[in-house]
Amino acid sequence: MKRIAVIGGGVAGMTAAIFAAGSGAEVTILEQKDRVGKKILSTGNGRCNFTNLYQTPDCYRSDNPEFPWSVMKQFDVHQIIAFFLEMGIYSKSRNGYFYPHSDQASSVLDAYRMECRRLGVKILTDTKCLEILPNAKGFYLKTEQEILRTDAVILAAGSKAAPVTGSDGSGYTLAKKLGHHLIPVLPALVQLKCKETFYKTVSGVRVQAKVSLYVNDRLAAEDTGEVQLTNYGISGIPVFQVSRYAARALYEKKQVKAVLNFMPDFEPEEFLTFLKRRIESRPEKTLSEFFVGLFHKKLAELWIRESRIKPERKTGSLSENELHRLAGLIQCFETEVEATNTFEQAQVCCGGIDTREVDVRTMESIYVQGLYFAGEILDVDGICGGYNISFAVASGVLAGKGAAGCLGSTR
Ligand SMILES: Cc1cc2nc3c(=O)[nH]c(=O)nc-3n(C[C@H](O)[C@H](O)[C@H](O)COP(=O)(O)OP(=O)(O)OC[C@H]3O[C@@H](n4cnc5c(N)ncnc54)[C@H](O)[C@@H]3O)c2cc1C
C-alpha cells in the first residue's frame, strides 16, 4: 500500500488526506499544533463560509493567473458542496455564500476529523516537520521526535497568516530547501494603515463606501461595501478585497492611495444636484446641521474641517466653489496608504510557492517527484467570500488523488 505523509492538518491537508486514503493509500497527517484545523474555527466569524456559488477566474489571484481557475475547474463549487454533504455538512446559502447549516465552524472541523477517522487516516499532532529528505525510494521526514519514511509527501502547511493557528511559514522553508521559489509572501485580506492623523477622530465609524486603490496613480482595484474607519486607517470587506494589491505595491516601494466614495450610488453631477436641492429646502441650516441624518456626525465634522468652511456658516450662503469642495471630499476622499496590518491580523497571504513549478493536474512539484502541494502555501489568494477554503479544498482533492496515483478515481 502506498504511504503518503501530509504536512499540515488544515482544510487543504485534511482534504488531501481524505482523498488519498479514499483512493487506497495509507495516510498520515503531521500537524505541529496540539490539534488539527485550528484556523477553520475562526473562519467566517466562527461560522465558516466555505464556498460561494458565484465563481469566476477573477475571484482568485496569483502571479500565474490561469493556475487557480484551472484548479477550480477540476473540482468546482458544486463538487465542494457535495463533498461537504457527504461528510455530513448540510449547507445553507446566504446570497450564494455557503455555510454549514449548524452555523458553526467547529462542525466543519468535526466532520473533517470524523471522515479522517472513518478512512483510517493517522493524525500525529504536536509533530512539526523539520525537513523533507528525498531519496531514491521516497522521502524521509525529519520531525522533532523521529524520522518517518514515506512514498509521497503532500505539503499543505499553509501560509504566514494568523500564525497563532499554526501557519508559521515553515512550509515555505521546507519547499525552498527542495529547490522551489517563492512569490513574495505578504499579508492579504487585511486592514490598511493610513498616513493622515485625523483617523482617531473618526475611529469606530462604519459607512457604506466604494474603495478605489491607486498604485502610482493608476487604478489597481476597487470594491464597494461597509468600510470601517479605525484609529490607524481603514478596514472592512471592501478594504480587505483590495488590500493584496496595496501589500504588493508597498513591498515594491510604490506609492499607494485609496480614494473613498461615501456616496457611491450617485454620479458626481447627480450628487451635486442632490446637495443643492437639500440646501434649497433648508437654506437657514448651518453646515453642521445640514449633514444631520445624512452622514455620521464624526464624518461630517471631518469633511467640514477638511473643507476649511466654518461649521456655523448657513448652507444658503455657500458658493458654488465651496459646494464642489464639499462634494469632492464626500465622493473622492483621498487617503495615503502607508502599510498593511501584519500577518497576525491578515486572513490570508498573497504570494507563496510559485505555481509555475507545480503540475496543475496533480499538484506535483515539477522538481521533486512524489512531492505535492495544496492550499494556501501556493501562490493563490482568493477574495473574501469562501474562495480561500474553496481553493484549499479543490487543490487538496487534486493533491490527494495525485499523490495516491488515482486521478480519475471518485474516492
Ligand atoms: C480569521 C480568518 C477568517 C477566515 N475566514 C474565511 C472564510 O470565511 N472563508 C474562506 O474561504 N477562508 C477564510 N479564511 C482563510 C482560510 O481559512 C484559509 O485560506 C484556509 O484555511 C487555508 O487552509 P490551509 O489548509 O492551506 O492552511 P492552514 O489552515 O493554515 O493549515 C496549515 C496547517 O499546517 C500546519 N503546519 C505548518 N507548518 C507545519 C510543519 N512544519 N509541520 C507540521 N505542521 C505544520 C499548521 O499548524 C496548520 O494547522 C479565513 C482566515 C482567517 C485567519
Side-chain angles (χ1 to χ4, degrees):
M1 198 188 265
K2 191 167 186 183
R3 274 179 297 182
I4 297 174
V6 180
I7 301 170
V11 173
M14 286 192 284
T15 307
I18 288 167
F19 276 80
S23 303
E26 185 188 308
V27 184
T28 305
I29 294 178
L30 279 63
E31 169 53 54
Q32 65 174 334
K33 291 302 243 186
D34 57 352
R35 57 182 298 189
V36 289
K38 285 208 169 197
K39 191 171 279 179
I40 298 173
L41 299 176
S42 46
T43 58
N45 284 325
R47 295 190 303 197
C48 187
N49 170 209
F50 66 87
T51 195
N52 201 306
L53 274 189
Y54 176 78
Q55 294 278 342
T56 66
D58 297 349
C59 302
Y60 302 90
R61 287 118 174 218
S62 168
D63 251 33
N64 180 18
E66 280 81 41
F67 183 89
W69 192 239
S70 305
V71 170
M72 295 313 300
K73 280 197 294 197
Q74 295 176 74
F75 201 79
D76 67 17
V77 54
H78 304 289
Q79 289 166 293
I80 293 172
I81 295 166
F83 165 52
F84 271 49
L85 184 58
E86 260 181 70
M87 291 197 292
I89 301 160
Y90 183 71
S91 48
K92 87 161 60 143
S93 162
R94 292 188 176 88
N95 297 325
Y97 292 63
F98 272 66
Y99 297 82
H101 195 263
S102 61
D103 257 339
Q104 285 185 297
S106 59
S107 57
V108 173
L109 175 54
D110 287 342
Y112 262 107
R113 286 168 52 214
M114 288 190 287
E115 187 66 352
C116 283
R117 197 184 322 133
R118 185 181 77 78
L119 290 163
V121 172
K122 196 166 154 191
I123 296 179
L124 304 177
T125 52
D126 293 309
T127 304
K128 178 168 184 146
C129 178
L130 302 173
E131 208 169 349
I132 303 172
L133 302 161
N135 64 28
K137 288 194 183 146
F139 300 85
Y140 287 111
L141 300 183
K142 210 166 135 189
T143 73
E144 275 152 352
Q145 295 85 356
E146 55 181 329
I147 292 186
L148 296 161
R149 215 194 71 70
T150 182
D151 300 316
V153 179
I154 300 172
L155 187 49
S159 64
K160 283 185 174 180
V164 66
T165 62
S167 44
D168 59 1
S170 57
Y172 299 132
T173 313
L174 295 173
K176 278 202 290 188
K177 278 197 182 153
L178 295 170
H180 280 277
H181 299 93
L182 290 188
I183 303 298
V185 176
L186 304 164
L189 299 187
V190 69
Q191 305 84 356
L192 298 178
K193 294 183 175 178
C194 301
K195 188 175 176 189
E196 296 79 4
T197 50
F198 61 71
Y199 275 101
K200 286 192 176 56
T201 67
V202 287
S203 173
V205 172
R206 289 165 180 257
V207 55
Q208 189 72 14
K210 178 168 161 188
V211 181
S212 305
L213 191 90
Y214 288 83
V215 173
N216 286 350
D217 288 326
R218 287 188 64 172
L219 181 66
E222 55 187 12
D223 199 58
T224 304
E226 190 181 85
V227 172
Q228 293 168 32
L229 304 172
T230 70
N231 55 11
Y232 57 79
I234 50 178
S235 178
I237 305 280
V239 174
F240 281 17
Q241 303 289 40
V242 303
S243 60
R244 58 106 62 208
Y245 296 100
R248 189 64 184 265
L250 290 165
Y251 173 80
E252 290 166 356
K253 306 265 179 268
K254 293 180 178 156
Q255 188 242 344
V256 181
K257 74 175 178 201
V259 176
L260 307 177
N261 179 351
F262 295 100
M263 215 56 178
D265 295 339
F266 283 75
E267 290 301 322
E269 279 309 312
E270 263 183 302
F271 185 51
L272 258 182
T273 311
F274 169 82
L275 285 180
K276 283 179 182 164
R277 291 225 175 100
R278 197 172 154 92
I279 288 173
E280 273 163 27
S281 62
R282 35 178 88 67
E284 76 295 345
K285 289 259 190 310
T286 65
L287 198 48
S288 12
E289 291 167 342
F290 174 76
F291 285 117
V292 173
L294 190 55
F295 292 111
H296 194 291
K297 196 173 177 191
K298 287 183 180 174
L299 262 185
E301 285 169 355
L302 170 68
W303 295 324
I304 296 170
R305 271 199 312 275
E306 295 281 310
S307 72
R308 297 206 186 83
I309 306 171
K310 291 206 167 72
E312 58 279 8
R313 279 273 301 281
K314 299 268 190 276
T315 49
S317 75
L318 292 180
S319 69
E320 189 79 10
N321 239 338
E322 288 169 322
L323 205 55
H324 271 90
R325 213 150 78 218
L326 275 174
L329 282 165
I330 297 168
Q331 284 203 302
C332 204
F333 192 89
E334 284 191 19
T335 179
E336 192 176 331
V337 179
E338 281 191 319
T340 66
N341 243 342
T342 61
F343 288 112
E344 276 70 21
Q345 283 86 29
Q347 289 200 358
V348 298
C349 284
C350 59
I353 307 288
D354 190 337
T355 57
R356 286 165 279 239
E357 301 173 347
V358 177
D359 182 332
V360 73
R361 292 160 304 164
T362 59
M363 301 290 118
E364 189 173 19
S365 157
I366 61 167
Y367 300 137
V368 184
Q369 198 183 354
L371 172 68
Y372 299 78
F373 296 99
E376 217 185 293
I377 192 168
L378 289 161
D379 166 36
V380 174
D381 53 295
I383 58 172
C384 262
Y387 299 96
N388 287 293
I389 293 182
S390 296
F391 181 77
V393 171
S395 57
V397 171
L398 299 184
K401 286 185 177 184
C406 289
L407 272 168
S409 115
T410 51
R411 197 158 73 90

